Amino acid sequence: MEKSSLDADCCALNTVLVEEKKGHLIPNGNAHQDVNGTLNGGPISAATGAISAAEAEKRQGFPERETWTRQMDFMMSCVGFAVGLGNVWRFPYLCYKNGGGVFLIPYVLFIFLGGIPIFFLEIALGQFMKAGSINVWNIAPLFKGLGFASMVIVFFCNTYYIMVLAWGFYYLIKSFNSTLPWSTCDNPWNSENCIEIFRHDDCQNGTIGNSTFGNLTCEELANGRSPIIEFWENKVLNISEGLDEPGVINWELMLCLMAVWVMVYFCVWKGVKSTGKIVYFTATFPYVVLIILLVRGVTLPGAYDGILYYVKPDWSKLGEAQVWIDAGTQIFFSYAIGLGALTALGSYNRFNNDCYKDAFVLAFINSGTSFFSGFVVFSILGFMASEQGVDISKVAESGPGLAFIAYPKAVSLMPVAPVWAALFFVMLLLLGLDSQFVGVEGFVTGILDLFPGKYYMRYQREIAVAICCLLCFIIDLSMVTQGGMYVFQLFDYYSASGMTLLWQAFWECVVVAWVYGADRFMDDIARMIGYRPFPWMKWCWSFITPCVCMGIFLFHLLNYKPLTYNNVYVYPWWGEVIGWCLALSSMLCIPVSLVYKLSGAKGTFRERWENLTKPVWGGHHLEYMAPDTDIKSLASLSPGTEENKIL
């Protein structure tokens, strides 16, 4: 059961606040109104000898929480985290698959029904509570399991997501060759079935001539394998027959993995002061590359057809449930909701930062990037379809298939191919890198917030980041083996899947809107930003967004299909059991924690509920109270025990 108590300094501060009923602590930028003395960042000069909450924390050994050097640091970090590989390799494919331009109708609708409301909720919650993904739920301690659930999800996400960066880094290194290694069939990893001929429509009268392999029949051509597929499967993955055959470690890939983790470590180890600077490059440079690739793409033959496939509306698709489900799921994926990292980023904001405006700006940037990326991707895919003489549906892919098969194949057909290959994989690396290190930042922030000030030590952050990176790296070793792709897919499909994120988002809305109180939280936001957000946010948190989340969640559950690889290999039953264990390890945190806390508390059920849902405030809440706050509630504020202290 969560306990609330007042230490001596904070008790003295409350005494001053109760005695001085005419004085309130009002946020006005960098300073505060005097309360029987000076509160401008210093101690209170009162007869009781009370001091400010911030000063009290320092005296008790609690380090003052970092804040962004500039507000733009926060904006760029959010852009870097939320705008990732999903915007480039998933949205364009979903748009093409689900009716082109028509897909934008349900997509935009879900932005306002679920995306922006929860995006804003997570940032505002972090900013108000000044805590990471676990201690932020001191707002309703009974549901602190939400914080542990998000920590489990982001840990799994950090573990497997970096494999995409390792593969991208490997391809980047291999791009520095005069001839791209995936463009020819004369490599040691190529099989006898490898052919470089792509134009299937040239197959006439039973043979194809003018080939380095001699005359090939149409049947032989159909059984042939592309060099890019063989490079991916035989060289990069060196894939085994199944999950039960892990095989040996690919040492080249392991070195790439190690290099990427080292980069992540040195991006995160010094906290937001350094992270906020690095994202200026990692978040903006991919846009430069995207623009360069678009300019190049639209000048290629077949680009117009590719773009037309991307945006051409198919109105009949609006009647299909799958289109709406894909739109809703994509919003939760691309907005990075439910991972706790947005909460951690928001916790480093100034208390009176206008996070409401930030949420809309960031949502526009995120979705705008997704839409813009579609033109880049499909102009290239249109060129590739034209070169191969096939329909665009044959080359349009999503996920790793687009990044490591379709796109590398496309650049191999371009003049000066190594240059375009290097540009693409630099963009891929940077898009994933900032998402990765912000995810690690969110995880480490949540962990460090659990330790009270008396356990603070020098180099605490550096050690925590090192342990996190090392632990993830050890788990990642299973993904650089010959059976590594099967392990990767297990993590991708179950641990941070649509179901786990939707479950998390549903409970976030329920707890804030119905346990803590939607109107109450709107008042808290007004204290921070100086005005009340549009009531639409409250309506979404209370009714619309939970219904959307649970509706899509149930659809996923009812339409569950066993995991396969390339639609050929079916995972064994024990593989699916492992997958469901990964999913349930986060989902069960919420109900298990709730039952454990309720059963361990004393009193009637009503008394337990009231005690366990009573917020545990931080020292900063004592300073940032609005002038119309009831003095009784002001006096009841407490930072809790040291164990519940918010750093």
Side-chain angles (χ1 to χ4, degrees):
M1 174 178 174
E2 302 290 343
K3 297 179 181 178
S4 296
S5 64
L6 290 172
D7 52 57
D9 286 330
C10 289
C11 186
L13 176 58
N14 279 343
T15 302
V16 173
L17 294 175
V18 173
E19 290 176 353
E20 296 294 324
K21 294 186 179 182
K22 295 181 181 180
H24 295 276
L25 302 173
I26 308 170
N28 62 357
N30 296 320
H32 308 286
Q33 184 175 326
D34 290 352
V35 179
N36 196 24
T38 302
L39 276 181
N40 298 319
I44 302 174
S45 301
T48 57
I51 60 174
S52 71
E55 186 68 21
E57 288 190 3
K58 288 181 182 178
R59 291 191 183 183
Q60 294 167 15
F62 289 91
E64 187 177 357
R65 192 173 189 84
E66 286 184 291
T67 56
W68 301 105
T69 306
R70 303 178 189 85
Q71 193 53 33
M72 186 55 70
D73 295 359
F74 164 71
M75 298 291 286
M76 297 304 288
S77 295
C78 285
V79 169
F81 181 63
V83 178
L85 299 173
N87 300 74
V88 175
W89 74 16
R90 195 166 186 266
F91 176 84
Y93 175 78
L94 289 178
C95 202
Y96 153 75
K97 172 191 167 188
N98 293 305
V102 168
F103 183 68
L104 294 178
I105 295 175
Y107 181 79
V108 171
L109 191 62
F110 279 120
I111 286 176
F112 291 98
L113 294 181
I116 293 178
I118 302 183
F119 193 87
F120 172 52
L121 184 149
E122 291 194 359
I123 292 175
L125 200 56
Q127 182 172 312
F128 179 65
M129 295 299 290
K130 290 287 182 185
S133 56
I134 297 179
N135 275 358
V136 76
W137 295 106
N138 279 334
I139 200 168
L142 178 60
F143 293 89
K144 216 168 183 179
L146 266 167
F148 291 103
S150 66
M151 291 287 283
V152 172
I153 296 173
V154 79
F155 176 77
F156 286 148
C157 199
N158 290 339
T159 300
Y160 82 86
Y161 187 83
I162 201 166
M163 282 307 304
V164 180
L165 306 187
W167 293 330
F169 191 55
Y170 184 82
Y171 270 80
L172 177 62
I173 294 172
K174 295 295 182 180
S175 297
F176 295 105
N177 288 289
S178 56
T179 302
L180 294 176
W182 57 80
S183 62
T184 63
C185 286
D186 55 357
N187 301 290
W189 58 81
N190 293 126
S191 69
E192 295 178 355
N193 293 328
C194 180
I195 58 171
E196 300 174 25
I197 299 173
F198 295 110
R199 299 191 64 87
H200 288 235
D201 61 345
D202 286 344
C203 183
Q204 298 174 357
N205 301 322
T207 63
I208 294 182
N210 301 323
S211 170
T212 56
F213 297 88
N215 292 334
L216 295 176
T217 65
C218 289
E219 184 178 355
E220 290 171 333
L221 181 62
N223 293 330
R225 286 169 58 83
S226 165
I228 178 58
I229 293 178
E230 293 208 337
F231 178 78
W232 170 242
E233 293 187 350
N234 299 348
K235 177 61 176 173
V236 181
L237 301 180
N238 193 16
I239 196 163
S240 65
E241 294 297 320
L243 185 63
D244 55 343
E245 298 181 21
V248 298
I249 289 178
N250 183 332
W251 294 102
E252 289 182 324
L253 204 56
M254 191 197 74
L255 291 175
C256 291
L257 176 68
M258 186 183 298
V260 177
W261 268 122
V262 169
M263 283 189 276
V264 170
Y265 176 79
F266 285 108
C267 288
V268 178
W269 71 322
K270 290 298 183 183
V272 296
K273 298 294 185 184
S274 60
T275 304
K277 303 298 180 292
I278 296 167
V279 290
Y280 277 89
F281 175 71
T282 59
T284 56
F285 188 71
Y287 288 96
V288 176
V289 179
L290 279 173
I291 293 171
I292 294 172
L293 290 174
L294 178 64
V295 172
R296 176 56 181 156
V298 296
T299 61
L300 295 170
Y304 174 77
D305 294 330
I307 293 173
L308 193 62
Y309 265 88
Y310 172 50
V311 298
K312 184 180 179 181
D314 181 0
W315 298 101
S316 64
K317 291 284 188 179
L318 281 178
E320 298 180 11
Q322 187 62 49
V323 174
W324 295 82
I325 299 302
D326 283 346
T329 306
Q330 175 61 15
I331 289 295
F332 286 91
F333 270 120
S334 63
Y335 278 47
I337 289 167
L339 300 176
L342 293 175
T343 304
L345 294 178
S347 73
Y348 296 116
N349 279 336
R350 290 176 295 106
F351 188 80
N352 56 354
N353 171 63
D354 193 347
C355 53
Y356 183 60
K357 178 186 68 177
D358 291 348
F360 280 91
V361 172
L362 291 167
F364 174 78
I365 293 173
N366 192 315
S367 297
T369 303
S370 296
F371 188 62
F372 175 73
S373 299
F375 289 94
V376 179
V377 170
F378 271 84
S379 65
I380 302 297
L381 294 181
F383 161 71
M384 191 168 75
S386 174
E387 285 295 301
Q388 297 181 25
V390 297
D391 188 82
I392 189 117
S393 61
K394 303 293 184 182
V395 296
E397 295 190 57
S398 176
L402 173 66
F404 301 113
I405 296 178
Y407 212 100
K409 186 188 291 184
V411 296
S412 70
L413 302 173
M414 294 182 188
V416 202
V419 173
W420 301 110
L423 264 179
F424 173 75
F425 288 112
V426 165
M427 178 194 72
L428 189 79
L429 195 61
L430 293 178
L431 273 175
L433 191 61
D434 48 15
S435 297
Q436 180 71 22
F437 67 65
V438 174
V440 173
E441 173 69 47
F443 180 78
V444 172
T445 297
I447 293 295
L448 293 181
D449 280 355
L450 290 176
F451 291 94
K454 62 184 179 182
Y455 295 118
Y456 178 78
M457 65 178 186
R458 194 179 182 187
Y459 303 122
Q460 176 177 272
R461 161 172 284 276
E462 290 86 343
I463 294 171
V465 174
I467 293 173
C468 173
C469 292
L470 182 61
L471 183 58
C472 289
F473 174 76
I474 292 172
I475 298 174
D476 286 333
L477 290 178
S478 65
M479 301 183 199
V480 294
T481 61
Q482 290 175 281
M485 187 61 180
Y486 303 110
V487 180
F488 173 84
Q489 275 207 325
L490 271 182
F491 274 81
D492 184 43
Y493 194 73
Y494 291 100
S495 67
S497 65
M499 283 197 295
T500 56
L501 298 180
L502 290 163
W503 177 260
Q504 182 78 3
F506 169 80
W507 282 105
E508 286 181 5
C509 291
V510 168
V511 172
V512 170
W514 294 102
V515 178
Y516 181 73
D519 285 315
R520 188 179 179 186
F521 190 54
M522 291 285 276
D523 291 340
D524 294 334
I525 293 172
R527 287 190 181 98
M528 292 193 296
I529 66 178
Y531 61 93
R532 287 178 68 87
F534 188 66
W536 174 257
M537 288 294 174
K538 180 180 69 175
W539 302 335
C540 284
W541 296 334
S542 302
F543 305 104
I544 302 173
T545 305
C547 290
V548 168
C549 292
M550 188 50 62
I552 301 176
F553 175 83
L554 292 175
F555 181 89
H556 274 291
L557 199 60
L558 294 173
N559 291 274
Y560 169 76
K561 295 178 182 178
L563 181 60
T564 62
Y565 177 72
N566 275 352
N567 296 319
V568 177
Y569 174 76
V570 179
Y571 278 67
W573 67 268
W574 54 268
E576 286 201 57
V577 169
I578 294 173
W580 277 108
C581 287
L582 293 174
L584 293 175
S585 62
S586 63
M587 295 171 68
L588 290 179
C589 284
I590 302 167
V592 168
S593 173
L594 187 146
V595 171
Y596 175 76
K597 285 177 178 288
L598 282 175
S599 61
K602 296 180 180 180
T604 65
F605 180 81
R606 183 184 182 88
E607 290 172 340
R608 297 181 192 188
W609 180 271
E610 289 179 352
N611 289 332
L612 291 171
T613 55
K614 187 180 297 181
V616 178
W617 298 118
H620 66 284
H621 291 107
L622 297 170
E623 299 184 64
Y624 291 102
M625 294 303 296
D628 60 347
T629 303
D630 181 74
I631 201 67
K632 292 182 180 179
S633 64
L634 186 65
S636 67
L637 292 175
S638 81
T641 61
E642 284 194 335
E643 285 71 19
N644 292 326
K645 192 78 174 180
I646 299 174
L647 299 182

